């Protein structure tokens, strides 16, 4: 009997291969042929799933974003306010090799999104989803008295999101093997300030 192919599993295998190559060599070195070889497939096996490297990069970005969201859901379950916000941020920050490699997928995607409206929309939708979560956690923290800042101000949530994204850029550009950038301590410093900023209302 012919072998039954699990197409979703094959897509993930190709994305994982893409991830490894980009982490090792950068986006430009991640040719379709090298990705197929890394995944153990014939070169032509990619085309039914990803006709171009751009479509593969989009899927890889979505895969990384979804992986991060699954971790976030797990660590924030049952938590609220500042505790949940801290847990959220720690899953986004590139604090280990896995999350540094995720950053090396995300940053090339952002580069392409500058001139690609489709990718820009994918990015904006993803960030809007994170901003909603950040604002919810900040609002809960304010209700509990842990945060005094005007947490419903979108600038505050935007500041924190930009700090997280900047950390990913730093990690993606760092020498291979470096994973300690002081990001966890920077996060704690930022969160401690939220309890000291007077409410502007």
């Amino acid at each position: 009997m012919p072998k039954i192919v699990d197409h979703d599993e094959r897509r993930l295998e190709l994305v994982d291969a893409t991830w490894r190559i980009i982490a090792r060599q950068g986006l430009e070195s991640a040719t379709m042929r090298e990705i197929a070889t890394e995944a153990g497939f014939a070169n032509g096996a990619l085309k039914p799933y990803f006709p171009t490297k751009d479509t593969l990069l989009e899927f890889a970005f979505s895969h990384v974003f979804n992986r991060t969201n699954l971790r976030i859901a797990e660590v924030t379950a049952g938590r609220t306010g500042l505790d949940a916000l801290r847990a959220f941020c720690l899953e986004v920050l590139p604090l280990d090799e896995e999350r540094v490699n995720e950053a090396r997928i995300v940053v090339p995607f952002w580069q392409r999104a500058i001139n690609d409206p489709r990718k820009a929309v994918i990015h904006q939708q993803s960030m809007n989803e994170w901003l909603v979560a950040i604002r919810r956690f900040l609002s809960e923290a304010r209700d509990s008295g842990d945060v005094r800042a005007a947490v419903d101000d979108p600038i505050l949530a935007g500041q924190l999101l930009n700090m997280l994204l900047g950390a990913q850029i730093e990690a993606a550009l760092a020498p291979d093997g470096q994973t300690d950038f002081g990001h966890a301590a920077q996060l704690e410093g930022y969160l401690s300030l939220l309890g000291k900023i007077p409410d502007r209302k």
Side-chain angles (χ1 to χ4, degrees):
M1 291 181 63
K3 182 180 179 181
I4 298 174
V5 176
D6 186 329
H7 296 290
D8 290 336
E9 182 179 349
R10 177 160 287 188
R11 284 190 185 91
L12 292 179
E13 288 173 355
L14 293 170
V15 167
D16 284 340
T18 304
W19 185 342
R20 292 193 297 270
I21 290 175
I22 292 177
R24 289 198 311 260
Q25 303 168 209
L27 176 64
E28 297 309 316
S29 297
T31 66
M32 298 296 273
R33 182 178 298 278
E34 286 200 359
I35 291 167
T37 300
E38 180 80 13
F41 300 137
N43 187 37
L46 273 72
K47 290 203 175 292
Y49 303 99
F50 307 109
T52 66
K53 188 160 69 173
D54 261 8
T55 59
L56 178 54
L57 184 59
E58 286 181 11
F59 193 90
F61 174 84
S62 297
H63 179 56
V64 165
F65 185 70
N66 290 336
R67 280 170 55 98
T68 305
N69 282 344
L70 286 173
R71 294 197 307 263
I72 288 171
E74 183 177 343
V75 299
T76 59
R79 296 180 173 182
T80 61
L82 210 57
D83 186 36
L85 182 62
R86 178 180 289 104
F88 173 100
C89 293
L90 289 174
E91 289 307 319
V92 177
L93 287 173
L95 299 178
D96 55 28
E97 186 176 358
E98 178 183 2
R99 282 172 284 178
V100 170
N101 285 338
E102 288 177 349
R104 289 175 176 157
I105 290 285
V106 169
V107 171
F109 179 87
W110 291 340
Q111 181 183 3
R112 296 292 179 93
I114 293 172
N115 297 308
D116 186 329
R118 173 181 166 82
K119 290 181 178 57
V121 168
I122 293 172
H123 165 72
Q124 194 56 56
Q125 290 173 340
S126 303
M127 296 305 99
N128 286 343
E129 184 177 332
W130 278 0
L131 281 170
V132 167
I134 291 172
R135 288 172 186 160
R136 182 176 77 251
F137 296 143
L138 285 170
S139 180
E140 292 169 351
R142 184 181 187 189
D143 290 344
S144 68
D146 290 334
V147 167
R148 297 178 59 207
V151 295
D152 55 341
D153 187 341
I155 293 176
L156 192 62
Q159 285 176 337
L160 182 53
L161 180 61
N162 287 337
M163 186 182 83
L164 299 176
L165 301 186
Q168 291 186 320
I169 293 171
E170 181 181 23
L173 296 176
D176 188 41
Q178 182 177 352
T179 57
D180 186 4
F181 306 94
H183 292 151
Q186 292 168 19
L187 172 64
E188 287 304 319
Y190 181 85
L191 294 180
S192 69
L193 290 174
L194 296 183
K196 301 173 183 176
I197 302 173
D199 192 335
R200 291 179 288 177
K201 291 188 172 181

